[in-house]
Amino acid sequence: MKKILFSLTVLILMSFVVFGQDRCEPLLTITPTTNSNSINWLQIPEFTLPFEICYGGPVSTDQQVGEILNRGFTHIGTPINGVPNTKRGLIYYGVAYG
């Protein structure tokens, strides 16, 4: 009886794992940028995450701010004009001790 119950449990769990495989997103085709030290944000599809995350990399234009905030990041850690105060973040790399 235990073997049958165990087999049914494993079968049900395996069916949940296999069930969603046909709904995967297509693979991204990303080509290297011609500009050095830059990210082509338009190659990455727009998405959101269920948690907040701060981008601390280089930002050169106001247009890039909008592209970054639409692609998973919720805050910008680089001080640049055009970023609303509600979307500014602070990345802290220090260690506090007392």
Side-chain angles (χ1 to χ4, degrees):
M1 182 68 173
K2 288 183 180 181
K3 288 183 180 182
I4 294 173
L5 188 59
F6 178 75
S7 299
L8 284 175
T9 305
V10 169
L11 184 64
I12 290 171
L13 290 175
M14 287 178 57
S15 67
F16 284 128
V17 170
V18 175
F19 178 70
Q21 295 299 316
D22 60 341
R23 295 179 290 169
C24 291
E25 291 292 324
L27 294 175
L28 294 176
T29 54
I30 297 177
T31 56
T33 60
T34 56
N35 300 336
S36 61
N37 298 328
S38 67
I39 298 172
N40 187 356
W41 290 102
L42 298 177
Q43 290 186 15
I44 303 170
E46 293 186 8
F47 67 95
T48 57
L49 295 171
F51 51 86
E52 295 182 347
I53 188 167
C54 184
Y55 175 76
V59 180
S60 59
T61 63
D62 291 342
Q63 180 183 1
Q64 269 191 335
V65 170
E67 293 169 358
I68 293 168
L69 292 176
N70 288 334
R71 285 159 178 86
F73 294 98
T74 57
H75 294 80
I76 303 288
T78 307
I80 186 171
N81 293 336
V83 178
N85 287 338
T86 58
K87 295 294 181 180
R88 291 182 187 221
L90 176 64
I91 299 176
Y92 179 71
Y93 294 107
V95 177
Y97 63 92

